[in-house]
Amino acid sequence: MHPAPAAPTREDVAAAAERIAGRVRRTPVIDVALPVGGREVPVTLKLELLQHTGSFKPRGAFHRVLTAPERPSLVVAASGGNHGLAVAHAARALGVDAEVFVPVSAPAVKVEGIRARGARATLVGASYAEAAAASLERASAPGALAVHAYDDPAVLAGQGTVALELAEQAPGLDTVLVATGGGGLIGGIAAWCGTGTRVVSVETRGAPTLHAALAAGRPVDVQVGGLAADSLGARRIGEHGFASAVAAGVRAVLVSDEAVRAARRWLWQELRVTAEPGGAVALAALLDGAHVPADGERVGVVVCGGNADPHDLSQPR
């Protein structure tokens, strides 16, 4: 019987922030009034899509490599796109070679971005799970370091620095809404917030990994599809992220693809922010009524990614 996975602690997240300081951006926040149910709700947006490579992922990628016992000669990852971009970026910054295994369904803009950062992108399989399986042999090479997209305590601690920054930039938030795929971001944010700030996981109905796991009491496989599957398309929530979410009492809600489209349009029309579908999922919870703020509730929303072709945002509805 293997030991229960350890969730990172608040102290782990604080230590991660020190290690990656100067290598990642302190992304801005902006206060907006969001029209919800006939009233305007004040919301603080954490614009993490302005991070290097267009998503939060460099935080965990840098932290995983920097906490390795010795500097690797090669980093290996499997990714639907954003993690691969982050690993390629971190490897180049640290002077390390990188190879990323990517499913053939990954958006071309992400594959091109991985290659533009000097990493080798190997397209294999129709899903993240298949790409991950293909990466295992390469990661066993001497001097290689596997950098998991989400199920690694060092990765979670790095991603949790999003919440540490948000707490400094917008102190006193009651609730933070976070998109969930494999569980790295929600796990890291839950580790920092603990039970002091309510953390709400938001997923599309086509990729309900944490929602299904909480219902089952353990991580389970789910069918994955829908609008945000390229970035939130893990088939099963990571063990470490699940443990962290459970410890913090995270609530999981589901939203429709149409609500995600509406959130993307709102971000573009009101702020000229070009979020990818996965990056707009957390905001969609407010538009969809999946999370209805109480009067006076201070809500933060992580806009976590922007790697998408913005062409469709300018098209008629």
Side-chain angles (χ1 to χ4, degrees):
M1 184 175 181
H2 68 279
T9 65
R10 189 179 177 92
E11 291 71 26
D12 292 331
V13 176
E18 292 186 8
R19 287 191 187 98
I20 66 176
R23 299 190 183 276
V24 299
R25 292 178 180 140
R26 183 180 175 91
T27 53
V29 300
I30 183 170
D31 294 328
V32 300
L34 190 73
V36 177
R39 63 186 176 118
E40 288 195 335
V41 175
V43 176
T44 298
L45 302 179
K46 173 68 166 165
L47 299 180
E48 189 62 16
L49 81 172
L50 299 180
Q51 186 56 258
H52 293 295
T53 76
S55 86
F56 65 94
K57 294 282 191 175
R59 297 173 183 270
F62 270 115
H63 193 237
R64 176 68 182 95
V65 179
L66 291 171
T67 54
E70 57 185 38
R71 185 65 58 90
S73 58
L74 172 71
V75 292
V76 179
S79 170
N82 283 343
H83 178 61
L85 288 167
V87 168
H89 172 77
R92 184 172 66 177
L94 297 171
V96 178
D97 290 337
E99 184 168 358
V100 182
F101 290 77
V102 183
V104 296
S105 59
V109 65
K110 297 183 182 182
V111 177
E112 291 163 5
I114 290 168
R115 291 173 174 156
R117 288 167 175 81
R120 180 178 178 183
T122 301
L123 273 64
V124 58
S127 68
Y128 167 78
E130 291 175 273
S135 73
L136 293 178
E137 182 177 355
R138 186 72 175 117
S140 66
L145 175 72
V147 182
H148 198 282
Y150 52 86
D151 201 12
D152 182 287
V155 171
L156 263 68
Q159 317 303 30
T161 61
V162 172
L164 181 155
E165 283 182 15
L166 179 56
E168 293 173 346
Q169 294 166 312
L173 291 176
D174 300 301
T175 305
V176 178
L177 303 181
V178 186
T180 298
L185 183 59
I186 193 75
I189 287 178
W192 175 259
C193 292
T195 56
T197 301
R198 182 187 304 112
V199 179
V200 178
S201 163
V202 188
E203 300 166 287
T204 65
R205 296 191 178 103
T209 53
L210 181 56
H211 190 273
L214 291 174
R218 57 184 176 83
V220 293
D221 287 343
V222 299
Q223 294 295 318
V224 173
L227 187 63
D230 69 292
S231 58
L232 305 180
R235 193 174 295 169
R236 173 189 286 242
I237 196 78
E239 296 276 354
H240 298 283
F242 179 70
S244 185
V246 169
V250 169
R251 172 176 169 246
V253 301
L254 302 178
V255 297
S256 66
D257 280 357
E258 183 48 46
V260 176
R261 292 187 184 95
R264 289 190 74 215
R265 285 194 299 267
W266 189 89
L267 287 166
W268 171 248
Q269 290 166 359
E270 296 296 324
L271 305 176
R272 286 302 187 255
V273 166
T274 54
E276 64 186 278
V281 161
L283 185 64
L286 296 172
L287 299 177
D288 207 21
H291 179 77
V292 180
D295 289 342
E297 181 180 344
R298 297 193 59 204
V299 179
V301 174
V302 180
V303 184
C304 61
N307 289 311
D309 184 347
H311 177 73
D312 62 320
L313 293 173
S314 61
Q315 301 304 303
R317 293 178 56 177

